[in-house]
């Protein structure tokens, strides 16, 4: 069985403790780190990491812990999908990935028989989510974890506001190359804009010119561009430069994109 | 067999070389990274990482390499415990974790038959500690590694100085959320202070007010608090903020904590 | 089968997607991260990571993705060696490691039957190199991937310019301890300089005095030194300090080293 881990813990002993708990329950399971450098408490960035990676895995249990509400009354979830089970807090972290893969059942984690005791109030990753994943690896049925629920928190990535010639979008994620992922679905951009046409980017006080292109190499060296990234969303990039630096955009920022009609 | 790695090497080729050596000796062993971002040469921070994670693992060989004295006469050790063997330099890195798990035997690494040659004077991680761990995985007896010794270096985490209403403590570790772990054992704090009572924090020139609480959510949003962390030590935190930023505390700093009697 | 990964992707979802693709093809393969923090687009630094680590592994497929030319006409390669196959872009990333291990055959990746479709123009790591590695793990013959070629790009690490008493060298890599690796082969330095003798370092506008020593401990505390690192190259270091900070040297910088004859 494969268990993936996505957290905002950094490369810390918190992650290692979760791995120890998992291996104590099933010494043969395969643990894969997805990301641990999610900005502390940034649920959207964590949701995006799960959304982009889970579909590439064979059947796996994906544990997500970006959990600013730990220790409060927020629920814990196990979301059963086609080819995957997601385990983590009920705060919007799991649902975009789960819906992409096809949700079959959402269970609230209420049965303490599958937790590690005493449960520390600030470390459900080690004491609730890892043990639940370990039990699922060793044959526990999802139905034993708790009751089905029908109202999991689902923030998606937000819906960009459609304007006459584009969108007011939100930044989901910025990678280390400075590529800025927006929440505009790629197919929608392809439906409204022509490849090769100019797009105006308004970010804070900056107004910048870019081209909507199929791939980086189709834009001049150093120029801003918009393209559909490998994740399926509209991305602001620069051919050989950092779009994040050029635009000043950061995760959760707002940006106005105005293109030529296709 | 599981081998864990805790180093100050960063995510570098040094770590990968150790993994290559280990897998060359036993291609089926499981390697788990605990931490590689220990501040260079900070033995206390490395000891804390081993101390907090080793008890969560099933039987494992824990290799630690935070080794500012590499190339000098400091000894190498294999420390046999209940459920674990620790391998690394004799500089205080291994003993807090080993004592927590129950020390049965401490061996000095003197037998070069179990090392990789030529041993590079600045890379015992690759040439001594990884090969020794690999040999232990493949059946070598601890007694063959070298003689028993009875005086391993053991710095613990220091003993906080007891004051009339609290402690002068030392910072062991700071995590990426800005939580500041002190060397005051949690049960001692619970024995002397009442939950809900105020504590005064004196850090450098700053004097700050905090509450001693059971969990973050019991303190007002943005307020400093003291709580017993998931690692069992007294921790300075802030509900939704960074206590490290608010107090200016860093690893190895001194802090005076004065509470109300329980 | 063991697959190692060396990229400039950071600890990102890009790496996790590659792991998902690999595990989808062979759920039993072992994935080892070498480095993902290569400076974006720094092919030399990536080549050095592969060069220093690959020889320590048992038979493995080493996937390297530092690929500023992705989406252009640069070729993809599978380089068959004694004890290893290297897979990645034809830009100099793979050849230093491959030559160190003994090149037997170089294949250009032209057969799309072994790729993941649609191939995204900026993510050959996920859609070309990972699937090719996965196919090699599951029995595909190298000859099926594409034709043999005889002109792979090979930049080596550059050849330092010999001067009357040393070299004008280039910095290959800087580690987190501030050790500065140059492209001067260690045996050449040992052939020309005497251990214990002084060396003058000229880096930018700074001129600094150092000693050529066998190990860090042979230089005074805090002093600059030159030594042959565990990787086999001449390295500028400081006993208990950061040579990178003291010299201002960064990867790809030029440095003049002038020693006393041996």
């Amino acid at each position: 069985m494969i268990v993936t881990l996505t957290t905002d813990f950094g490369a810390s002993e918190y992650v290692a403790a979760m791995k120890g708990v998992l291996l104590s329950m099933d010494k043969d399971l395969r643990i894969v780190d997805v990301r641990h450098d999610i900005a502390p408490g940034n649920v959207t960035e964590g949701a995006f990491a799960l959304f982009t990676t889970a579909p590439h895995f064979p059947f796996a249990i994906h544990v997500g812990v970006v959990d600013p509400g730990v220790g409060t009354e927020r629920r814990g979830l196990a979301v059963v999908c086609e080819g995957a089970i997601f385990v983590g807090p009920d705060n919007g972290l799991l649902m975009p990935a789960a819906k992409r893969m096809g949700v079959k059942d959402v269970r609230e984690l209420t049965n303490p028989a599958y937790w590690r005791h005493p449960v520390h109030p600030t470390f459900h990753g080690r004491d609730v989510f890892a043990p639940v994943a370990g039990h699922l690896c060793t044959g526990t049925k999802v139905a034993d974890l708790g009751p089905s629920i029908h109202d999991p928190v689902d923030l998606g990535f937000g819906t960009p506001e459609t304007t006459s010639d584009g969108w007011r979008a939100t930044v989901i994620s910025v990678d280390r190359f400075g590529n800025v992922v927006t929440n505009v679905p790629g197919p929608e951009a392809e439906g409204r804009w022509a490849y090769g046409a100019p797009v105006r980017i308004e970010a804070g006080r900056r107004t910048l010119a870019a081209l909507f292109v199929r791939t980086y190499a189709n834009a001049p060296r150093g120029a801003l561009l918009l393209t559909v990234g490998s994740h399926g969303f509209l991305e602001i990039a620069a051919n050989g430069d950092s779009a994040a630096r050029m635009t000043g955009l950061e995760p959760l920022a707002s940006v106005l994109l105005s293109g030529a009609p296709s």
Side-chain angles (χ1 to χ4, degrees), chain A:
Chain A
M1 183 64 78
I2 296 170
V3 175
T4 82
L5 302 178
T6 302
T7 77
D8 60 357
F9 290 161
S12 68
E13 52 260 16
Y14 301 125
V15 174
M18 290 178 66
K19 292 180 180 175
V21 168
L22 285 162
L23 291 170
S24 293
M25 299 177 71
D26 177 0
K27 71 178 176 41
D28 292 320
L29 63 77
R30 307 286 309 272
I31 301 173
V32 179
D33 297 297
V34 172
R35 276 184 66 181
H36 298 295
D37 65 335
I38 303 296
N42 188 334
V43 172
T44 300
E45 195 180 15
F48 181 72
L50 283 164
F51 176 89
T52 53
T53 55
H56 296 300
F57 278 83
F59 186 86
I61 298 173
H62 301 281
V63 178
V65 192
V66 181
D67 194 11
V70 66
T72 67
E73 293 302 306
R74 72 99 189 87
R75 301 176 294 192
L77 299 182
V79 186
V80 184
C81 300
E82 298 289 340
I85 302 176
F86 294 87
V87 176
D90 180 27
N91 63 5
L93 179 67
L94 309 179
M95 292 310 292
K99 286 167 75 174
R100 182 172 182 183
M101 299 194 69
V103 175
K104 297 201 295 190
D105 190 11
V106 183
R107 294 279 167 169
E108 181 181 353
L109 305 179
T110 57
N111 188 340
Y114 299 104
W115 306 347
R116 182 179 173 281
H117 297 278
V119 173
H120 194 276
T122 64
F123 200 0
H124 287 195
R126 181 190 66 189
D127 295 340
V128 177
F129 303 133
V132 162
H135 280 292
L136 289 171
C137 288
T138 52
T140 295
K141 291 184 170 49
V142 173
D144 294 335
L145 300 174
S148 282
I149 64 165
H150 300 282
D151 59 347
V153 174
D154 181 13
L155 310 171
F157 297 112
T159 302
E161 178 193 338
T162 302
T163 61
S164 62
D165 48 6
W167 293 270
R168 175 163 291 287
T170 299
V171 175
I172 299 175
S173 184
V174 174
D175 73 16
R176 79 188 302 242
F177 302 99
N179 300 318
V180 176
V181 182
T182 76
N183 64 344
V184 178
E188 293 191 24
E190 288 176 327
R192 293 185 67 194
W193 293 345
Y195 275 120
V199 177
R200 192 174 65 243
I201 299 173
E202 293 171 71
R205 296 182 176 180
R206 303 185 207 184
T207 298
L208 298 149
L211 287 180
F212 180 52
V213 293
R214 215 176 279 274
T215 177
Y216 294 7
N218 292 356
R221 185 111 191 129
L224 274 176
L225 60 95
L226 286 102
T227 191
V228 178
S230 56
H231 35 68
F233 285 96
L234 187 64
E235 176 177 306
I236 308 171
N239 185 0
D241 204 335
S242 163
R245 190 188 56 72
M246 292 168 76
T247 61
L249 287 167
E250 296 183 345
L252 304 182
S254 175
V255 58
L256 183 62
L257 304 169
S258 308
S262 67

